[in-house]
Amino acid sequence: MTDQPNTPAVLAVDWGGTWCRAGLIDRQGEVLWQARRPNPRGGGTAQYLALADTLLAEAFGLEGIHADSIGIAVAGPVDPESGTLYQPPNLMPLDGISLKQIWHERYGLPVALGNDANMAAIGEFHFGAGRDAAQAGRPHRSLFYVTVSTGIGGGVVERGSLLLGANGLTAEVGHTTIDTTTSAPPCQCGKRGCLEAVSSGTAIAAYARARLSEGRNRDSALAALSPEDLSARAVVAAAVQGDTFAHAVIARAVEGLAIGLANVVHLFNPDLIILGGGVSEGLTQLNLLPRIRQGIHERLMSELHKVFDLVPSVLGDNSGLLGAAAAAWELTDNL
Amino acid sequence: MTDQPNTPAVLAVDWGGTWCRAGLIDRQGEVLWQARRPNPRGGGTAQYLALADTLLAEAFGLEGIHADSIGIAVAGPVDPESGTLYQPPNLMPLDGISLKQIWHERYGLPVALGNDANMAAIGEFHFGAGRDAAQAGRPHRSLFYVTVSTGIGGGVVERGSLLLGANGLTAEVGHTTIDTTTSAPPCQCGKRGCLEAVSSGTAIAAYARARLSEGRNRDSALAALSPEDLSARAVVAAAVQGDTFAHAVIARAVEGLAIGLANVVHLFNPDLIILGGGVSEGLTQLNLLPRIRQGIHERLMSELHKVFDLVPSVLGDNSGLLGAAAAAWELTDNL
């Protein structure tokens, strides 16, 4: 008598500042099951860990699907070897915790863990824009993923391997300096002129608010919005409607991205750049990717550096979860 | 009857804009033999290849040393897989040539080839500052090598492997933008505000000349020099003597380096940064490495990013040659 054949899968977790998501994902990157729960507001470490345990128990209790490794993407800096989180601003109850160690001991399974933007890069490589490019006959050697959202982060996959650096803190393109003028805007990290301070969703909204508060651009549709409603999403929506001021606000963010990504191209020489995150969706909707590409090209030292594709994320909100799955599949394959 | 025992070695070549150097190097990075010849002025491809053949024949003809792989560092962009050089500005007769293919066919040995700054990074990793740090109980995971000389280039070694990117054009830190003001100086690459246009030896000399030509700083020792004699070396020498103007010129270059290297730290998260090249020797002599380190620290987003050592090159002018040797040893080990 043998066991029922189970569909092989891995358990992937994407733990952000708002939700803890879990999924069972097959080798092709298909999500066989997923669930999510909101982080316990005001909860401590124990509440956070209990929340995740509930999701994991749910996943491991499902009939017909068998996972033998775990992958985790977390919103914050994490040492990929020890698995320890370092002061994750949006997940502070997990500071100093190693989910890798805890879950490995509890479930007896190998656990891979990484920063969410790094994991998103792996996800796009295995199951998203990277796979699509390869299947379309344009295989690539070096991928740079950048997420432009509330903040800006990134990940590098070089010949199939995630670039980790000394402590898993690579590809922090959001905090590279792209404005050295005296009017460079301050960044939440404490510096001035960071890419994140110019081109993130937060920066787009802040810049629009600041210009409008000066009493100019009263003819813009954005002038009618309350400061709370004046989001990057609202700026994109106005630009889609042809709003001149909104377009100027977006153009500034695009210019910043071009400077930051030109530096990235000089340093990593990627042949595939993937734009993820909500702001990138807006830029794609506005058909601005050719403009970004052109802006990068204008700043490159050689023709050979210009040989890269610039494409939108294929996986969208699932990129972190699917990256965690890809990292888990690597563990399964090495069992 | 058996052959005489031969000392095992590899043949390393470092081909720059002025000299073609060859060396036989043992597994510990000791140079057992070396020779160099000047490039044939005004010569074409055939003259250049003949020059190298002479050196290689000399090396292979030596008694008692046996090399079974070849490593080459060249001054210019090169595809590490095909081995083809792309318009190397200082070695144009070799444009489109694959020394890797030619020498492999001629000598029947495996050949590794790379850009000289990339090779220098491998050299420092295996035989220089990287090895020293490891032997001193500070093993590192991610090394960034930067050469500050006439121009500025670099190389990344991540967990023992050279980062190649799509086409071997990584770590071009000299052409990242570090000045976005309207007074950003032009770079020889055609852009403005590149690190190379601010902090290279060429830029240091140009800036000093420009300031002196305005008729200011007449009390500086540098004011007595002809424009031809006003080199970066002369500026460093004056600074060593306490010349205030020379110190100000150097301070500007140091500031540029700090901005560029802070971007590098955010993107690569190195735990070892090695400063090579003639200008770096001057900065080391002036005891400015703590100042550079501090300037980088001030621009970093997190405490964890600050955990790196900043040290001068150990190999100096031999870094490219020894990197070529290290790359060749990797081939030998895979035979």
Side-chain angles (χ1 to χ4, degrees):
Chain A
M1 202 179 108
T2 58
D3 290 336
Q4 287 286 101
N6 277 324
T7 304
V10 292
L11 177 64
V13 174
D14 183 12
W15 208 337
T18 309
W19 297 96
C20 183
R21 301 169 65 197
L24 289 166
I25 309 209
D26 76 8
R27 185 172 287 278
Q28 282 69 47
E30 294 301 319
V31 179
L32 306 176
W33 167 88
Q34 70 174 313
R36 68 176 188 177
R37 295 185 175 232
N39 289 337
R41 279 175 181 254
T45 307
Q47 284 77 30
Y48 271 71
L49 292 177
L51 168 82
D53 277 332
T54 308
L55 276 167
L56 267 62
E58 213 179 319
F60 285 126
L62 292 171
E63 298 275 331
I65 308 175
H66 177 73
D68 53 13
S69 63
I70 303 175
I72 316 167
V74 286
V78 57
D79 184 306
E81 293 183 14
S82 69
T84 308
L85 275 87
Y86 294 108
Q87 309 196 317
N90 299 309
L91 282 171
M92 274 308 282
L94 298 180
D95 181 30
I97 296 287
S98 170
L99 294 174
K100 183 172 172 173
Q101 192 187 332
I102 292 173
W103 292 354
H104 173 65
E105 285 171 6
R106 182 157 315 169
Y107 300 102
L109 298 179
V111 180
L113 178 127
N115 165 276
D116 52 3
N118 275 210
M119 284 295 185
I122 302 185
E124 292 287 349
F125 175 80
H126 283 286
F127 301 130
R131 182 170 72 178
D132 286 2
Q135 288 177 349
R138 298 176 68 88
H140 55 275
R141 296 167 172 173
S142 180
L143 169 163
F144 192 91
Y145 170 86
V146 56
T147 172
V148 189
S149 179
T150 314
I152 294 182
V156 177
V157 178
E158 162 91 2
R159 288 167 169 73
S161 294
L162 186 67
L163 190 80
L164 291 172
N167 304 103
L169 306 174
T170 53
E172 291 287 5
V173 63
H175 299 282
T176 58
T177 302
I178 58 105
D179 183 348
T180 61
T181 64
T182 51
S183 60
C187 185
Q188 54 87 10
C189 77
K191 301 189 299 146
R192 305 181 73 88
C194 296
L195 177 59
E196 183 165 305
V198 174
S199 304
S200 66
T202 313
I204 290 170
Y207 183 75
R209 274 196 294 272
R211 291 295 77 73
L212 290 169
S213 73
E214 292 166 357
R216 286 148 61 180
N217 307 106
R218 304 309 305 175
D219 55 336
S220 166
L222 296 172
L225 298 181
S226 70
E228 299 76 49
D229 290 338
L230 190 49
S231 62
R233 185 181 296 271
V235 175
V236 169
V240 168
Q241 298 297 321
D243 190 285
T244 307
F245 172 66
H247 269 286
V249 171
I250 295 289
R252 174 176 172 272
V254 163
E255 177 84 356
L257 263 182
I259 298 173
L261 290 176
N263 287 344
V264 158
V265 171
H266 282 122
L267 292 170
F268 292 107
N269 180 211
D271 46 10
L272 183 62
I273 301 177
I274 302 170
L275 292 178
V279 172
S280 296
E281 286 174 22
L283 300 177
T284 304
Q285 194 186 349
L286 288 163
N287 195 26
L288 284 170
L289 266 54
R291 176 71 202 91
I292 296 170
R293 185 185 163 85
Q294 178 61 24
I296 300 170
H297 276 206
E298 286 164 5
R299 292 172 172 86
L300 296 179
M301 67 180 288
S302 83
E303 292 302 312
L304 264 182
H305 280 97
K306 297 179 186 171
V307 184
F308 64 82
D309 290 322
L310 177 74
V311 301
S313 158
V314 165
L315 303 177
D317 286 346
N318 273 339
S319 56
L321 194 72
L322 285 171
W329 274 113
E330 283 183 24
L331 296 177
T332 293
D333 290 342
N334 290 328
L335 281 181
Chain B
M1 203 179 109
T2 58
D3 287 337
Q4 287 287 102
N6 276 324
T7 304
V10 293
L11 176 64
V13 174
D14 183 11
W15 208 336
T18 309
W19 298 96
C20 183
R21 301 170 64 198
L24 288 166
I25 314 224
D26 75 9
R27 185 172 287 278
Q28 282 69 48
E30 295 301 320
V31 179
L32 306 177
W33 167 88
Q34 69 173 312
R36 67 176 188 176
R37 294 186 176 231
N39 289 336
R41 279 176 181 254
T45 308
Q47 284 77 32
Y48 271 71
L49 292 177
L51 168 81
D53 278 332
T54 308
L55 276 167
L56 268 62
E58 212 178 322
F60 286 124
L62 293 171
E63 298 276 331
I65 309 177
H66 177 73
D68 53 13
S69 62
I70 303 173
I72 315 167
V74 286
V78 56
D79 184 305
E81 293 183 14
S82 70
T84 307
L85 276 88
Y86 294 108
Q87 307 195 320
N90 300 311
L91 282 170
M92 276 308 283
L94 298 179
D95 181 29
I97 296 287
S98 170
L99 295 174
K100 182 173 174 174
Q101 191 187 333
I102 291 174
W103 290 355
H104 174 65
E105 285 172 7
R106 182 157 316 167
Y107 300 102
L109 298 178
V111 180
L113 177 128
N115 165 277
D116 52 3
N118 275 210
M119 285 295 183
I122 302 185
E124 291 287 348
F125 175 81
H126 283 285
F127 301 129
R131 183 171 70 178
D132 286 3
Q135 288 177 349
R138 298 177 67 88
H140 55 276
R141 297 167 171 173
S142 180
L143 170 162
F144 192 90
Y145 169 85
V146 56
T147 171
V148 188
S149 178
T150 315
I152 294 182
V156 178
V157 178
E158 163 91 1
R159 288 165 168 73
S161 293
L162 186 67
L163 189 80
L164 291 172
N167 305 103
L169 306 174
T170 53
E172 289 288 4
V173 64
H175 299 283
T176 58
T177 302
I178 57 105
D179 183 348
T180 62
T181 64
T182 50
S183 59
C187 185
Q188 54 86 10
C189 76
K191 302 189 297 146
R192 303 181 74 87
C194 296
L195 177 59
E196 183 165 306
V198 174
S199 304
S200 66
T202 313
I204 289 170
Y207 183 75
R209 273 196 294 270
R211 290 295 76 76
L212 290 170
S213 73
E214 291 166 357
R216 287 149 61 179
N217 307 105
R218 303 310 304 176
D219 55 337
S220 165
L222 296 171
L225 297 180
S226 69
E228 299 75 50
D229 290 337
L230 191 48
S231 61
R233 185 181 297 271
V235 175
V236 168
V240 168
Q241 298 298 318
D243 190 285
T244 307
F245 171 66
H247 269 286
V249 171
I250 295 288
R252 174 177 173 269
V254 162
E255 176 84 356
L257 262 182
I259 299 173
L261 290 177
N263 288 343
V264 158
V265 172
H266 282 121
L267 292 170
F268 292 106
N269 179 211
D271 46 10
L272 183 63
I273 301 177
I274 302 169
L275 292 179
V279 172
S280 296
E281 285 173 22
L283 299 178
T284 303
Q285 194 186 350
L286 288 163
N287 195 27
L288 285 170
L289 266 54
R291 176 70 202 93
I292 296 170
R293 184 185 163 87
Q294 178 61 24
I296 299 170
H297 276 206
E298 286 164 6
R299 293 173 171 86
L300 295 180
M301 66 180 289
S302 83
E303 292 302 312
L304 263 183
H305 280 98
K306 296 178 186 170
V307 185
F308 63 83
D309 290 322
L310 177 73
V311 300
S313 159
V314 165
L315 303 178
D317 285 346
N318 273 339
S319 57
L321 193 72
L322 286 170
W329 274 113
E330 283 183 24
L331 295 178
T332 293
D333 289 341
N334 290 327
L335 279 182

